[in-house]
Amino acid sequence: MAWFKRQSGELDPSGEKKIRTEGLWVKCDNCRQIIWKKDLEENLNVCPKCDKHFRIDARTRLAQLLDDGKYEIFDNNLSSTDPLKFVDLKPYSSRLKRAQADTELTDAVINAHGKLNGRSVIMSSMEYAFIGGSMGAVVGEVITRAIEKAGDTQTPLIIISASGGARMMEGVISLMQLAKISAALARLDELKVPYISVLTDPTTGGVTASFAMLGDLNIAEPGALIGFAGPRVIEQTIRQKLPPGFQRSEFLLEHGMLDAVVHRRDLKAYLGRALDFMAKAA
Ligand SMILES: [Zn+2]
């Protein structure tokens, strides 16, 4: 029995080491402690030694935030048509098939309807494991439908972002999603339905440049990478070293780009209180 599996495959574009999800033990890439996987899971996938927030998948996120881990999924039948017949190292169509098989999702987001502390909410949860949580036409459409459903039913909306940005294999079609989602959010605002954006590690590119920063409240998990271009790209462009902690949640909070940084164990209670406050204000 192997306790650790050797990693192979493609380079991680974020430059960060992924956690190993198989085996009994996980090594925290922040404090280098070896953690029993079960302890990590019981601690909401936050390192018990140093509080590093590990990435979690879209379904785990929904289960953590919605009452009794129960929710109904909607609009889960859309998948990309590969409009550009795009091929890079391998065809986009085969990347899609692989991601669909690995995640058992049709694309990088799940729309769910459930309760949060007894209040009905609509939640869109992004899946980073699906081509880096990138936003193509399907993610754009699915999130737009969640926004429209929130408006039609006067139900508060929460979007949990975890994304590398626009999906390059869909070219300009993926960029059009920024405008489409932003327009839908503007309509939601006119209907006076609250929208809370939760930014998790990582939230970058076109997702930051559109809906992730358009919440009535924009909150993030500790230590999450949040930005437009990645820090390495900026460093290579301006040929200067960036300050420590640049593009991490705490830095953004300090510079007025976020409303709060909330620990994962407090996230549900925080969202519940915020929705109570918004309901009273309305
Ligand atoms: Zn740690």
Side-chain angles (χ1 to χ4, degrees):
M1 183 196 77
W3 280 19
F4 291 102
K5 267 199 163 176
R6 183 179 289 275
Q7 270 186 309
S8 58
E10 292 172 31
L11 280 172
D12 179 0
S14 69
E16 288 171 334
K17 281 198 179 129
K18 283 182 188 149
I19 58 160
R20 294 166 176 84
T21 49
E22 284 140 351
L24 291 169
W25 302 89
V26 179
K27 186 173 184 180
C28 174
D29 59 6
N30 187 44
C31 68
R32 310 252 155 231
Q33 292 275 352
I34 309 283
I35 315 158
W36 195 26
K37 202 179 158 205
K38 201 156 169 276
D39 282 348
L40 186 66
E41 277 163 12
E42 276 169 10
N43 203 34
L44 304 173
N45 283 292
V46 176
C47 174
K49 309 263 166 38
C50 73
D51 252 7
K52 160 152 178 127
H53 285 50
F54 286 82
R55 286 175 190 163
I56 53 176
D57 64 74
R59 290 185 185 90
T60 307
R61 180 71 68 178
L62 291 170
Q64 281 181 3
L65 292 176
L66 296 172
D67 294 355
D68 306 320
K70 279 191 204 141
Y71 52 87
E72 274 168 47
I73 289 175
F74 60 95
D75 292 322
N76 62 340
N77 51 357
L78 303 177
S79 60
S80 175
T81 54
D82 186 10
L84 305 180
K85 306 284 170 244
F86 193 86
V87 180
D88 48 82
L89 291 174
K90 53 184 172 178
Y92 175 41
S93 56
S94 60
R95 282 186 196 278
L96 278 170
K97 274 194 202 113
R98 177 73 195 270
Q100 285 165 346
D102 287 350
T103 60
E104 294 174 26
L105 295 174
T106 55
D107 215 303
V109 65
I110 304 178
N111 275 357
H113 179 239
K115 296 219 155 141
L116 194 151
N117 290 349
R119 185 188 299 281
S120 194
V121 292
I122 288 179
M123 195 173 278
S124 287
S125 180
M126 297 192 77
E127 176 57 69
Y128 188 74
F130 196 107
I131 318 185
S134 53
M135 173 173 62
V138 172
V139 169
E141 175 64 18
V142 170
I143 289 181
T144 302
R145 288 189 189 187
I147 297 166
E148 286 173 348
K149 190 172 167 121
D152 292 345
T153 57
Q154 291 280 309
T155 309
L157 171 74
I158 299 169
I159 302 180
I160 318 282
S161 300
S163 173
R167 187 169 295 169
M168 285 179 279
M169 301 84 154
E170 293 188 21
V172 73
I173 295 162
S174 70
L175 293 181
M176 286 157 64
Q177 308 311 313
L178 278 77
K180 173 169 159 173
I181 295 175
S182 302
L185 282 173
R187 283 198 299 275
L188 189 71
D189 187 52
E190 280 163 17
L191 294 168
K192 301 209 181 305
V193 176
Y195 159 45
I196 301 178
S197 171
V198 180
L199 296 86
T200 72
D201 185 59
T203 298
T204 59
V207 168
T208 314
S210 61
F211 60 88
M213 286 292 186
L214 289 176
D216 296 308
L217 207 53
N218 300 321
I219 63 179
E221 285 195 330
L225 172 70
I226 299 165
F228 184 61
R232 280 176 309 131
V233 175
I234 299 174
E235 279 183 343
Q236 282 159 16
T237 309
I238 64 172
R239 293 173 189 281
Q240 275 181 38
K241 201 86 191 128
L242 292 165
F246 177 75
Q247 289 190 328
R248 295 283 161 186
S249 323
E250 294 74 12
F251 189 94
L252 271 77
L253 178 69
E254 217 172 282
H255 291 80
M257 301 287 286
L258 291 173
D259 296 304
V261 174
V262 183
H263 195 285
R264 196 173 286 164
R265 81 169 99 78
D266 304 323
L267 190 55
K268 183 172 177 179
Y270 187 98
L271 290 170
R273 277 202 310 280
L275 293 176
D276 283 348
F277 174 80
M278 289 173 180
K280 275 185 202 133

